[in-house]
Amino acid sequence: MLTRIAAKNFALLRDTDVSLKAGFTVITGETGSGKSLLVLALSFLGGEKVSTEIIRDGETKAIVEGEFISAVGDPIILRRELFASGRTRAFYNDSPVSVKSLAEAASSLFDITSQRAFSHLLEPDRHLDFLDLYSGLLPARKTMEDYERDYLKLKRQIAGLLRKKEEFKQRREIIDFQLEQINEIDPQISEEEELNSEIRRLENFEELHGDGQQIVNSLVRDTQSVDVRLQDSGNLLQRVGELDSTLAELIEDLDSAKAIVREIASRVEERCLRVNYEAHLLEELRERQHAIAGLVRKFGGTYTAMLEKRDSLRAELTSDEKTDIELETLESQSERIVTDWALLAKRVSKTRTSAAQRLQRSVERSMAKLGVNKAVFEARFRINEDLKGLFEREGKRCTLSGRGGEDVEFMFSANPGMEPRPLVNVASGGELSRLLLAIKESLPVSSSEATTIFDEIDSGVSGKVAHLVGNKLKSLSRDRQMVAITHLPQIAAIANHHFKVHKHPHKGKIETSFIALEDQAKVEEIATMISGGEITDAALEQARHLIEGAES
């Protein structure tokens, strides 16, 4: 429940502070006095954007603050500030919050039904929102919207991968051809260096054999070879070691030297003396060297670059295989989403169908109480047929969206025998006001303490119908706090509480004040509304009659 609304430097609201009570409250005043400024201030508090021109001349910022009591009895204070720079600040119980958070909090505390609501009622695309609110389907709508978002995201990803595959398809023949050329020769990582080394050996076979023979002979085979001399030196070192123990330690070093000499001789013999020269082997090696050189020229200019090219081509093939796996995964996810989405849409359709019938009956009953006894209200479903649609309704394939598998449009007829038609074609201003009120009555209240503000809900009505509208508003105030801006005395007389908006000068500037009216002041204001300005005895008598009739 809204218990207090305060505004500073908000247009004509210089320093306004209004306390509100439960029940039905009306706000009246002359045209142009600023009645709707309260609605605008509450809209700003609820997160709506306003121009910086709303800031009172000569001031640097405007402030709107609302005090509420939650459904569980907790006090809540919302505040929002607008600076001349366009910057805003929002507060929840004096703690800074984002405007989005403030708007979410406000949406559960109050609801404004203004001229915008009338325009929404005339927009068929908005009718499903009314029906889903009535049906309690807003959470399901949110889930379907999430399904649609996720599905479209997957479809974009799938489309991207398909484009990637198409591009790869155009390159596939080239990749296969190039890889076939490389794989046919199958170069190994260090083969170039090894191949060149082996060719040099075979090309210099005689020189290697001759020089190798001399090395082996001088190391181990000649009578005066290094090995023989080391052996003789070892025998001598053995004898002197018996005379000087420190020299004996060198025997091991000499033995190591002999081992090294023999290992060198063995390696040289293996590489130089055991080479079997075969002309055809050298030719084969040269042919392979030539083939590898051809690959190097084609694919990078160096042996390393050629190997990197081969790895790159293989990676492209692997990437395409991974793309296939990723496509399969994404398509599987997409199918699961569509299955869950369609199942939920089917349940939603069923709920909407039954809820639409209940809403039709509820609105028609309310319209009868508002003076339209033979009104016919219909929530007519329509589907967008699509042979490739993801959803099936009434045996037809149709489009599936975040709204579900269908849309709805409200049809109305105020006269017996007339076929219900779209609201924009048949509903007059007064009928539209009553229809909106009837729908509003049918919609669930977010909490028993929520506040509903009606701005000019009485547009197009008068006389007996105005009395019926007033009674309906007061009836609704039993479940929720109701605030209505009105120009009709019949409605003002029925209210529990009455504020008059008064525009007057203050220090050379115009401002608007809210004055609480009781007893005689209320009678005089209603009399003014009846007479259109001047208070007459007849108007006073009629005002008292209206108030007494409302209290009885």
Side-chain angles (χ1 to χ4, degrees):
M1 184 180 78
L2 176 63
T3 60
R4 174 178 170 267
I5 177 70
K8 288 186 177 181
N9 304 321
F10 194 87
L12 297 180
L13 305 180
R14 179 184 62 83
D15 190 6
T16 298
D17 198 318
V18 180
S19 295
L20 298 169
K21 299 177 182 178
F24 179 30
T25 298
V26 294
I27 298 172
T28 63
E30 295 178 358
T31 301
S33 60
K35 298 189 295 298
S36 292
L37 277 177
L38 185 69
V39 174
L40 184 59
L42 281 168
S43 297
F44 174 66
L45 188 63
E48 292 287 335
K49 291 182 178 180
V50 297
S51 169
T52 54
E53 294 180 1
I54 204 73
I55 300 174
R56 193 171 175 81
D57 289 345
E59 303 296 338
T60 58
K61 70 175 179 178
I63 304 172
V64 177
E65 182 175 276
E67 294 183 8
F68 303 84
I69 297 176
S70 72
V72 294
D74 295 331
I76 296 173
I77 300 176
L78 305 183
R79 186 169 80 254
R80 192 175 178 201
E81 301 173 352
L82 172 66
F83 293 84
S85 63
R87 183 173 64 93
T88 67
R89 292 198 303 172
F91 299 86
Y92 181 97
N93 285 344
D94 290 328
S95 296
V97 295
S98 67
V99 174
K100 181 180 179 181
S101 297
L102 185 77
E104 289 174 353
S107 67
S108 65
L109 295 170
F110 65 89
D111 170 66
I112 298 174
T113 300
S114 62
Q115 293 300 319
R116 181 184 298 181
F118 286 94
S119 64
H120 287 177
L121 194 56
L122 294 175
E123 297 174 16
D125 286 346
R126 298 275 187 172
H127 294 174
L128 193 64
D129 298 336
F130 285 102
L131 180 59
D132 285 346
L133 178 59
Y134 173 77
S135 311
L137 288 173
L138 294 185
R141 272 278 291 276
K142 175 63 169 60
T143 302
M144 289 193 295
E145 288 167 2
D146 291 342
Y147 280 142
E148 182 180 40
R149 184 196 63 234
D150 294 343
Y151 173 76
L152 293 176
K153 180 180 178 181
L154 285 172
K155 295 302 287 184
R156 287 193 297 269
Q157 291 175 326
I158 290 171
L161 291 177
L162 290 174
R163 285 194 300 271
K164 183 179 177 182
K165 280 193 68 65
E166 184 62 29
E167 292 168 1
F168 178 79
K169 182 179 179 181
Q170 296 172 6
R171 277 185 43 77
R172 181 62 188 258
E173 288 187 10
I174 297 174
I175 292 172
D176 288 343
F177 177 70
Q178 291 178 336
L179 266 181
E180 185 179 356
Q181 287 182 301
I182 297 174
N183 290 337
E184 186 178 359
I185 296 173
D186 193 23
Q188 303 303 304
I189 292 176
S190 58
E191 184 178 3
E192 182 185 42
E193 184 178 343
E194 293 171 357
L195 189 62
N196 291 339
S197 175
E198 188 65 18
I199 289 174
R200 281 196 303 273
R201 286 181 65 233
L202 293 177
E203 287 178 337
N204 297 281
F205 166 76
E206 293 180 356
E207 185 177 349
L208 280 171
H209 191 274
D211 291 345
Q213 185 67 64
Q214 290 183 39
I215 293 170
V216 171
N217 289 342
S218 66
L219 289 176
V220 296
R221 289 184 179 175
D222 290 347
T223 55
Q224 294 298 315
S225 67
V226 175
D227 185 63
V228 170
R229 291 180 180 181
L230 286 174
Q231 184 65 40
D232 292 343
S233 297
N235 294 334
L236 292 172
L237 188 59
Q238 184 74 31
R239 286 205 302 270
V240 298
E242 293 174 355
L243 302 175
D244 185 348
S245 60
T246 59
L247 294 175
E249 297 176 357
L250 299 174
I251 294 173
E252 290 185 5
D253 293 337
L254 194 60
D255 288 342
S256 295
K258 287 191 291 182
I260 290 172
V261 167
R262 290 171 183 171
E263 175 64 22
I264 292 172
S266 176
R267 292 283 300 279
V268 171
E269 183 177 9
E270 180 181 357
R271 297 293 296 171
C272 298
L273 304 185
R274 296 178 184 173
V275 176
N276 294 321
Y277 176 76
E278 296 182 19
H280 72 88
L281 178 60
L282 177 59
E283 187 60 29
E284 289 175 1
L285 293 176
R286 284 173 174 164
E287 288 177 358
R288 182 158 182 80
Q289 184 186 49
H290 179 73
I292 289 176
L295 291 179
V296 169
R297 286 193 301 272
K298 286 183 179 180
F299 303 111
T302 66
Y303 191 77
T304 300
M306 181 269 295
L307 292 179
E308 289 175 350
K309 177 64 174 179
R310 178 192 62 185
D311 294 341
S312 173
L313 294 171
R314 289 176 175 173
E316 285 195 68
L317 287 178
T318 302
S319 176
D320 186 58
E321 292 170 0
K322 289 181 179 178
T323 298
D324 288 336
I325 295 172
E326 190 175 356
L327 266 174
E328 185 177 345
T329 300
L330 293 179
E331 286 170 349
S332 177
Q333 291 175 1
S334 175
E335 289 172 3
R336 285 199 300 273
I337 285 177
V338 169
T339 299
D340 294 341
W341 187 6
L343 284 173
L344 177 57
K346 187 175 182 179
R347 292 197 297 270
V348 166
S349 291
K350 185 176 180 181
T351 301
R352 282 172 175 166
T353 300
S354 59
Q357 296 171 355
R358 296 196 306 274
L359 178 62
Q360 289 169 193
R361 293 192 294 270
S362 175
V363 169
E364 287 173 359
R365 284 196 302 269
S366 294
M367 290 298 286
K369 294 177 183 178
L370 290 169
V372 189
N373 295 315
K374 301 296 183 179
V376 177
F377 177 78
E378 179 184 339
R380 187 173 297 175
F381 290 99
R382 65 176 186 270
I383 61 174
N384 296 318
E385 291 188 46
D386 183 353
L387 294 177
K388 296 182 180 180
L390 302 174
F391 188 62
E392 184 174 328
R393 181 183 167 97
E394 300 172 1
K396 301 174 182 177
R397 301 301 301 180
C398 59
T399 302
L400 182 62
S401 72
R403 295 163 65 88
E406 62 277 317
D407 269 308
V408 71
E409 182 173 5
F410 294 154
M411 303 288 175
F412 180 74
S413 171
N415 302 305
M418 288 188 64
E419 184 72 16
R421 295 181 182 178
L423 301 184
V424 70
N425 296 333
V426 296
S428 66
E431 289 166 349
L432 195 62
S433 296
R434 284 176 280 176
L435 184 58
L436 180 61
L437 188 55
I439 293 174
K440 199 75 177 178
E441 181 183 19
S442 301
L443 298 180
V445 185
S446 58
S447 77
S448 61
E449 299 300 326
T451 298
T452 298
I453 299 102
F454 285 103
D455 184 12
E456 305 291 352
I457 186 63
D458 50 20
S459 175
V461 300
S462 60
K464 180 181 177 181
V465 173
H467 187 75
L468 293 173
V469 169
N471 282 333
K472 178 61 69 176
L473 289 170
K474 191 166 186 178
S475 174
L476 290 173
S477 71
R478 297 191 188 101
D479 297 321
R480 69 198 95 175
Q481 183 188 38
M482 304 291 293
V483 179
I485 295 172
T486 183
H487 65 280
L488 294 178
Q490 296 93 331
I491 293 178
I494 293 172
N496 304 111
H497 317 288
H498 190 154
F499 285 91
K500 176 183 178 180
V501 178
H502 175 55
K503 187 164 65 172
H504 58 90
H506 177 81
K507 294 182 179 180
K509 295 181 180 180
I510 299 297
E511 67 177 57
T512 289
S513 298
F514 285 74
I515 304 170
L517 303 181
E518 294 183 4
D519 302 330
Q520 184 61 25
K522 178 176 179 178
V523 173
E524 290 177 359
E525 172 64 10
I526 293 174
T528 301
M529 297 170 71
I530 292 171
S531 64
E534 182 180 354
I535 300 177
T536 64
D537 291 340
L540 287 170
E541 182 63 28
Q542 191 175 350
R544 292 190 189 96
H545 178 72
L546 286 175
I547 294 171
E548 290 170 359
E551 293 174 348
S552 61

